[in-house]
Amino acid sequence: LAAHLNADQIAQELRDILAQHQIQRVVIDGLNEIERPLVERGRAHGFFAALIATLRNFGVTTYITQEIDPVIGREMSFAAKNMTALADNILLLRHSEAPGDEGHSLTVLKMRFSDHDRQPHALHIGPRGIAVANAALAVKRSRRHGQA
């Protein structure tokens, strides 16, 4: 969907597409473009709640990416904070460029109705796909590099 459209136009176009096709998965790559005007008008929470409800009503699995400023760390934008209450699962994907610790990690921040593993796991992306290391290996790796 075109990024220059306003949030209401994007939502309507998405509803129309979902109604016309048997779509099973939707990826929304970032909320930053539509978030700012919604926050300024005080509509962000209501808009995102309605968006998630619409996607659930159509029975689609939705993956929404939200970029987090690496300087801030895990601090999320207004939309991302509001989405946490609406989301069933939240994953944190990190890329580290620290010497001796180059690579990616995956942490499950939220998994509704589950006592899930909250430890970071090494994530390897290669020609054969994605592989996630078990927690014991990820902990050993971080201890080797002087992290607690």
Coordinates of all heavy atoms in Angstrom, one line a residue, residues 100-101 136-148:
G100 N 33.4 -9.2 18.6 CA 33.2 -10.6 19.2 C 31.8 -11.0 19.4 O 31.6 -12.2 19.8
D101 N 30.8 -10.2 19.1 CA 29.4 -10.6 19.3 C 28.6 -10.2 18.1 O 27.4 -9.8 18.2 CB 28.9 -9.9 20.5 CG 27.6 -10.6 21.0 OD1 27.4 -11.8 20.7 OD2 26.7 -9.8 21.5
A136 N 20.4 -22.4 26.3 CA 21.6 -22.7 27.0 C 22.8 -22.3 26.2 O 23.8 -21.8 26.7 CB 21.7 -24.2 27.3
L137 N 22.8 -22.5 24.9 CA 23.9 -22.1 24.0 C 24.0 -20.6 24.0 O 25.1 -20.0 24.0 CB 23.7 -22.6 22.6 CG 23.8 -24.1 22.5 CD1 23.5 -24.6 21.1 CD2 25.2 -24.6 22.9
A138 N 22.9 -19.9 23.9 CA 22.9 -18.4 23.9 C 23.5 -17.8 25.2 O 24.3 -16.9 25.1 CB 21.5 -17.9 23.6
V139 N 23.2 -18.4 26.3 CA 23.7 -17.9 27.6 C 25.2 -18.2 27.7 O 26.0 -17.3 28.1 CB 23.0 -18.6 28.8 CG1 23.7 -18.3 30.1 CG2 21.5 -18.1 28.8
K140 N 25.6 -19.4 27.3 CA 27.1 -19.7 27.3 C 27.8 -18.7 26.4 O 28.9 -18.2 26.7 CB 27.3 -21.1 26.8 CG 27.0 -22.2 27.8 CD 27.2 -23.6 27.2 CE 26.7 -24.6 28.1 NZ 26.9 -26.0 27.5
R141 N 27.3 -18.4 25.2 CA 27.9 -17.5 24.3 C 28.0 -16.1 24.9 O 29.1 -15.5 24.8 CB 27.1 -17.4 23.0 CG 27.6 -16.5 22.0 CD 26.8 -16.5 20.7 NE 27.2 -15.4 19.9 CZ 26.4 -14.6 19.2 NH1 25.1 -14.8 19.4 NH2 26.8 -13.7 18.5
S142 N 27.0 -15.6 25.6 CA 27.1 -14.3 26.1 C 28.1 -14.3 27.3 O 28.7 -13.3 27.5 CB 25.7 -13.8 26.6 OG 25.2 -14.6 27.6
R143 N 28.2 -15.3 28.1 CA 29.1 -15.4 29.2 C 30.6 -15.4 28.7 O 31.5 -14.8 29.3 CB 28.9 -16.6 30.0 CG 27.6 -16.5 30.9 CD 27.5 -17.6 31.8 NE 26.2 -17.4 32.6 CZ 25.5 -18.4 33.0 NH1 25.8 -19.7 32.8 NH2 24.4 -18.2 33.7
R144 N 30.8 -16.1 27.5 CA 32.1 -16.1 26.9 C 32.6 -14.7 26.5 O 33.7 -14.4 26.5 CB 32.1 -17.0 25.6 CG 32.5 -18.4 25.9 CD 32.9 -19.1 24.6 NE 32.1 -18.7 23.4 CZ 31.1 -19.5 23.0 NH1 30.8 -20.6 23.5 NH2 30.4 -19.1 21.9
H145 N 31.6 -13.8 26.2 CA 32.0 -12.5 25.8 C 31.8 -11.5 26.9 O 31.7 -10.3 26.7 CB 31.0 -12.1 24.6 CG 31.3 -12.9 23.4 ND1 32.4 -12.9 22.7 CD2 30.5 -13.9 22.8 CE1 32.3 -13.8 21.7 NE2 31.2 -14.4 21.7
G146 N 31.9 -12.0 28.1 CA 31.9 -11.1 29.3 C 30.6 -10.5 29.7 O 30.6 -9.4 30.4
Q147 N 29.5 -11.0 29.3 CA 28.2 -10.5 29.6 C 27.5 -11.4 30.7 O 27.8 -12.6 30.7 CB 27.3 -10.4 28.4 CG 27.8 -9.5 27.3 CD 27.1 -9.7 26.0 OE1 26.3 -10.7 25.8 NE2 27.3 -8.8 25.1
A148 N 26.8 -10.8 31.5 CA 26.1 -11.6 32.6 C 24.8 -12.1 32.1 O 24.2 -11.7 31.2 CB 25.9 -10.8 33.8

